[in-house]
Amino acid sequence: MAAVDDLQFEEFGDAATSLAANPDATTISIEDPHETPKHQPGPLGGSGREEDDELLGNDDSDKTELLAGQKKSSPFWTFEYYQTFFDVDTYQVFDRIKGSLLPIPGKNFVRLYIRSNPDLYGPFWICATLVFAIAISGNLSNFLIHLGEKTYHYVPEFQKVSIAATIIYAYAWLVPLALWGFLMWRNSKVMNIVSYSFLEIVCVYGYSLFIYIPTAILWIIPQKAVRWILVMIALGISGSVLAMTFWPAVREDNRRIALATIVTIVLLHMLLSVGCLAYFFDAPEMDHLPTTTATPNQTVAAAKSS
Amino acid sequence: MAEAEESPGDPGTASPRPLMRDLKAVGKKFMHVLYPRRSNTLLRDWDLWGPLILCVTLALMLQRGSADSEKDGGPQFAEVFVVVWFGAVTITVNSKLLGGNISFFQSLCVLGYCILPLTVAMLICRLVLLAEPGPINFMVRLFVVTVMFAWSVVASTAFLADSQPPNRKALAIYPVFLFYFVISWMILTFTP
């Protein structure tokens, strides 16, 4: 049966339905020159939207390594080597951003959107935008909170931009590095089915930070309850993207270690957002709340915290 | 002085050049930025004098004359320089990595020259700040900076957009938008 399938040109739709019916069949897709025949459920090639519910492929690590070797064939001191990391079109970047905003249970961000074409454009410019969004929103929020105080003199606080840049870029590069090292180490002990390359992890982390850009802008609102609700929402969305991405990579491992890994990932994410909120945005004090009527709970909470 | 035959964008020419001709070239490019059309002058005859003059002017105007300048929190002279030049280099490298076929210095030239509207905005803001402070003062400055920001982005897009592959234009233009937005923010938040 598999041999007959090999010799026929498969339509994309047929491949998907036949593979869904028989996950072990081998199909060759002629549309994507990078793909090699392998036992893998799910359609290959560009339109990966009709992915079935399996999060893993059987030889995903091999495929990743093989393609990584195939793609980046230029030596690392040439310009072309780095161009391979920017080989994305506008619609692809938008799709990846959309994927980070709408985590669908059962869909793995890396498999669905990255598909062995990790880019550095998204992580770099999302982090840059986030740095300026946090610094500018923090500045604006402090200005609005202290408006009307006689002793307050507005300063642009430009040095906070460099601090924000250090924090965000360190998070976006060092945490993926640590996570990648950890996954490599566990992979040597336990044969994991899924392993990600370093750039794919950087890519996931970079795109998962996108939700914080509108969050930072909305943090201008000087209400503590609003800010904490925003923290929860943003953490929920980006945390779930990260958790669903890395769960397949650790779930073959010892249960405790797997859970500890996922919890650490989410915890670090929360630390980043809460830390930025605390450092860049002054606490709104009771006396300077705008004329919106504060509920008694908010008033008590604000009075306790100030 | 001998009239040299080489193009103004040619580095390493040994013969002396009249100062007036250089100034005229710079001034001509200023005009091209103020009335952006799809022309190749900025790209063909690139030079970095104009961007340097504009950057120095902007950085000087963003300085405060007060003695307690450490508490100001505004950008220092070197910080403005770093933001402008490092930002321009980053955008250029980004557009080349995306596959654009513009040369490094041509892109720096365009980005530097298109700061001209924002420098004019800075001048206007400083003049407006001589009047009494208040919300009207701020609204006027906000309006001026917004208009000049839009002008800068449109001008640089007119020159840079054609050199990008068509399905990545937005990816190459967005950093330009961010770059001029940050400069506009620095101008708008300037308090003497």
Side-chain angles (χ1 to χ4, degrees):
Chain A
M1 189 169 42
V4 173
D5 284 344
D6 274 342
L7 296 174
Q8 287 182 357
F9 288 145
E10 296 272 1
E11 294 288 338
F12 239 22
D14 291 347
T17 47
S18 72
L19 281 172
N22 183 6
D24 290 328
T26 304
T27 49
I28 301 174
S29 163
I30 56 171
E31 295 205 6
D32 191 344
H34 290 304
E35 299 295 331
T36 53
K38 53 196 169 297
H39 304 278
Q40 182 180 2
L44 310 172
S47 63
R49 301 290 175 269
E50 294 79 37
E51 191 106 341
D52 59 29
D53 285 330
E54 281 283 352
L55 286 176
L56 346 150
N58 291 326
D59 299 315
D60 217 76
S61 55
D62 290 349
K63 167 189 154 203
T64 311
E65 296 309 304
L66 183 67
L67 286 173
Q70 275 180 352
K71 276 189 66 157
K72 301 157 182 52
S73 53
S74 316
F76 68 89
W77 55 84
T78 60
F79 192 71
E80 284 73 28
Y81 175 74
Y82 297 102
Q83 264 186 323
T84 56
F85 303 141
F86 283 75
D87 191 19
V88 279
D89 292 337
T90 308
Y91 76 92
Q92 281 176 314
V93 172
F94 281 155
D95 276 345
R96 292 175 186 193
I97 291 178
K98 194 180 56 143
S100 79
L101 290 176
L102 304 167
I104 307 175
K107 306 280 189 187
N108 184 333
F109 182 79
V110 173
R111 289 227 339 140
L112 196 51
Y113 292 105
I114 310 258
R115 303 194 134 263
S116 294
N117 185 21
D119 71 300
L120 287 181
Y121 177 89
F124 182 79
W125 287 109
I126 290 177
C127 289
T129 311
L130 185 59
V131 163
F132 288 112
I134 288 184
I136 292 178
S137 303
N139 195 234
L140 207 52
S141 146
N142 294 348
F143 170 70
L144 289 175
I145 286 177
H146 297 288
L147 195 61
E149 272 178 33
K150 293 195 177 37
T151 56
Y152 178 71
H153 177 248
Y154 169 74
V155 290
E157 291 178 319
F158 195 72
Q159 65 275 16
K160 290 207 166 168
V161 172
S162 3
I163 298 174
T166 314
I167 296 175
I168 302 284
Y169 276 101
Y171 180 84
W173 283 89
L174 293 182
V175 172
L177 186 66
L179 188 58
W180 176 73
F182 175 76
L183 287 178
M184 285 293 118
W185 174 59
R186 294 309 301 175
N187 210 14
S188 68
K189 298 200 159 202
V190 176
M191 256 330 281
N192 268 335
I193 296 181
V194 171
S195 75
Y196 300 120
S197 72
F198 171 60
L199 281 171
E200 286 173 345
I201 302 183
V202 167
C203 215
V204 174
Y205 263 86
Y207 280 102
S208 74
L209 287 176
F210 180 82
I211 184 71
Y212 286 112
I213 297 175
T215 308
I217 297 176
L218 287 174
W219 274 342
I220 297 179
I221 301 174
Q223 300 279 346
K224 244 183 164 33
V226 170
R227 287 181 178 178
W228 280 100
I229 292 175
L230 286 168
V231 168
M232 289 296 133
I233 296 177
L235 186 65
I237 293 179
S238 60
S240 61
V241 169
L242 288 176
M244 284 195 293
T245 303
F246 290 108
W247 180 243
V250 294
R251 74 182 187 195
E252 302 298 320
D253 206 346
N254 183 350
R255 202 81 193 171
R256 285 194 182 180
I257 295 188
L259 279 175
T261 312
I262 301 292
V263 166
T264 311
I265 292 175
V266 176
L267 215 60
L268 282 174
H269 221 61
M270 183 165 86
L271 204 63
L272 177 77
S273 68
V274 171
C276 283
L277 178 61
Y279 182 71
F280 292 100
F281 293 82
D282 287 347
E285 284 144 2
M286 240 205 72
D287 315 326
H288 300 282
L289 282 174
T291 53
T292 55
T293 51
T295 65
N297 286 341
Q298 275 182 346
T299 312
V300 168
K304 272 195 194 154
S305 66
S306 55
Chain B
M1 287 193 142
E3 289 288 334
E5 289 293 334
E6 76 288 353
S7 80
D10 185 9
T13 56
S15 43
R17 299 148 61 126
L19 182 62
M20 279 316 296
R21 200 172 77 155
D22 279 346
L23 284 178
K24 275 194 196 145
V26 169
K28 194 164 141 211
K29 290 203 200 41
F30 280 165
M31 283 299 122
H32 274 277
V33 170
L34 287 179
Y35 303 107
R37 295 180 298 269
R38 275 175 197 268
S39 84
N40 278 339
T41 312
L42 232 67
L43 293 179
R44 220 179 32 232
D45 309 326
W46 61 265
D47 74 87
L48 291 179
W49 286 113
L52 185 64
I53 296 173
L54 288 172
C55 185
V56 169
T57 313
L58 191 61
L60 282 175
M61 284 200 285
L62 279 169
Q63 295 307 298
R64 292 156 179 71
S66 55
D68 53 351
S69 51
E70 286 88 26
K71 293 194 289 183
D72 275 329
Q76 304 292 318
F77 185 89
E79 279 175 345
V80 176
F81 245 82
V82 162
V83 166
V84 170
W85 288 100
F86 188 64
V89 165
T90 307
I91 296 176
T92 306
V93 168
N94 175 70
S95 85
K96 285 187 78 67
L97 282 170
L98 282 172
N101 60 356
I102 193 172
S103 98
F104 184 76
F105 286 108
Q106 282 175 345
S107 172
L108 280 187
C109 170
V110 168
L111 290 168
Y113 268 103
C114 290
I115 297 181
L116 176 66
L118 286 171
T119 311
V120 169
M122 182 78 229
L123 262 166
I124 299 178
C125 282
R126 279 215 92 143
L127 292 174
V128 168
L129 280 168
L130 292 175
E132 53 175 277
I136 300 184
N137 193 311
F138 177 73
M139 296 309 289
V140 169
R141 281 186 292 137
L142 179 66
F143 175 73
V144 167
V145 169
T146 309
V147 166
M148 293 302 181
F149 161 69
W151 202 337
S152 282
V153 173
V154 165
S156 62
T157 308
F159 293 117
L160 289 177
D162 288 336
S163 67
Q164 297 301 321
N167 50 346
R168 296 179 184 182
K169 275 200 170 53
L171 296 186
I173 295 298
Y174 170 72
V176 175
F177 174 87
L178 186 65
F179 175 63
Y180 289 125
F181 182 81
V182 170
I183 297 182
S184 312
W185 176 256
M186 286 200 294
I187 293 175
L188 189 60
T189 59
F190 171 77
T191 50

